[in-house]
Amino acid sequence: MPKRDTRAEIATAFKESVRKTSLSQTRVADLISELGVNRNTFYYHFGSKYDVAMWIFRTSLAAKLRHDFPESQLVSASFSSTGAGKDSLPYYVHKETGARTLDTSGYYKALVATVLEDPDFYRKLFTPREHEFIQQVAETLIPAFKDDIDFILDGRYMPDETKALLADSCAHQAISLVEFFLVNRGSTQTLLDKHMNPFWNIIQESLYTAIQEHPINRF
């Protein structure tokens, strides 16, 4: 008899519950009752229902990024909600196009493609009503954007507070992009056409331009 994959079973039951109701209405107690497992088993794999949501999102995005990009361009971080082990999962891409320039257009296309594989599920997650999930996504992305800012700065000065502000802004712009595609699915074909939408790298291009035009000097 094959070994039971409890983590995957929890994820599957969780997705079905969210699709039928919402993330807010999905309860851990209902999941463990449906699966016939105890609370200790659930919390061995996940720290909360938000961790389940993040694990599903992170593993799906990681699979897409590994398919689309070489290993050398992948930015990874561990996902560990409990003592069940750590997974190092790609969540971002660092593709240099010049001394201080980056191209993340392919990353955003991969990000959008990931959520559009299951729009009914992700539409319930990427909504302002689910603040805690949105904040977890932002906190995952912020370190990568801070690294991008350092790359663009190339040793030039910027206060940590300013860097944090810019990184947070970029993370929420990325989240807003996902939300737009989930709400406006009829526009997907046009927006994926590079001739109709040459703006996939707009977050990076705007960040680069702003940093170049507003150098900060130490006082």
Side-chain angles (χ1 to χ4, degrees):
M1 179 180 293
K3 184 178 179 180
R4 183 177 185 181
D5 189 346
T6 307
R7 193 183 224 191
E9 289 182 16
I10 292 171
T12 298
F14 175 84
K15 289 178 77 171
E16 289 304 312
S17 176
V18 170
R19 286 194 194 100
K20 292 176 182 177
T21 57
S22 68
L23 177 55
S24 296
Q25 292 176 291
T26 295
R27 300 172 63 246
V28 171
D30 294 334
L31 293 175
I32 62 178
S33 175
E34 177 184 341
L35 294 170
V37 299
N38 59 44
R39 292 179 65 86
N40 289 339
T41 299
F42 177 90
Y43 288 111
Y44 173 78
H45 293 284
F46 299 105
S48 69
K49 65 179 181 180
Y50 297 101
D51 281 344
V52 185
M54 282 297 296
W55 184 77
I56 294 169
F57 171 59
R58 288 281 309 274
T59 53
S60 297
L61 177 59
K64 178 64 174 170
L65 294 179
R66 285 172 173 148
H67 178 271
D68 290 358
F69 296 94
E71 187 72 26
S72 60
Q73 294 179 357
L74 298 179
V75 178
S76 301
S78 63
F79 178 89
S80 178
S81 57
T82 67
K86 293 184 178 181
D87 301 317
S88 183
L89 300 172
Y91 70 96
Y92 193 67
V93 169
H94 182 88
K95 181 180 178 181
E96 300 177 13
T97 55
R100 296 177 181 172
T101 56
L102 298 163
D103 179 8
T104 50
S105 56
Y107 168 73
Y108 291 115
K109 289 178 182 179
L111 178 62
V112 167
T114 297
V115 299
L116 290 183
E117 288 178 357
D118 195 346
D120 293 335
F121 171 66
Y122 283 110
R123 194 164 48 243
K124 299 290 186 72
L125 302 186
F126 284 91
T127 167
R129 293 189 296 274
E130 301 296 354
H131 174 75
E132 187 166 343
F133 173 77
I134 294 296
Q135 190 58 34
Q136 285 194 26
V137 175
E139 289 173 358
T140 299
L141 292 173
I142 284 170
F145 283 115
K146 285 184 177 179
D147 288 343
D148 284 357
I149 292 167
D150 284 333
F151 176 79
I152 296 170
L153 286 169
D154 193 26
R156 290 172 292 172
Y157 174 70
M158 178 179 285
D160 289 341
E161 295 83 355
T162 306
K163 195 181 299 181
L165 172 65
L166 292 179
D168 185 84
S169 175
C170 289
H172 283 92
Q173 287 179 64
I175 292 168
S176 293
L177 177 70
V178 170
E179 292 173 346
F180 179 89
F181 273 88
L182 287 170
V183 172
N184 299 278
R185 289 165 59 191
S187 304
T188 301
Q189 185 173 354
T190 299
L191 293 175
L192 288 175
D193 185 334
K194 65 180 180 181
H195 300 292
M196 296 294 101
N197 177 27
F199 303 107
W200 281 97
N201 201 38
I202 190 66
I203 296 175
Q204 282 294 340
E205 291 174 1
S206 299
L207 183 62
Y208 173 83
T209 300
I211 290 174
Q212 296 300 99
E213 292 184 353
H214 303 284
I216 300 175
N217 298 315
R218 294 178 184 268
F219 292 101

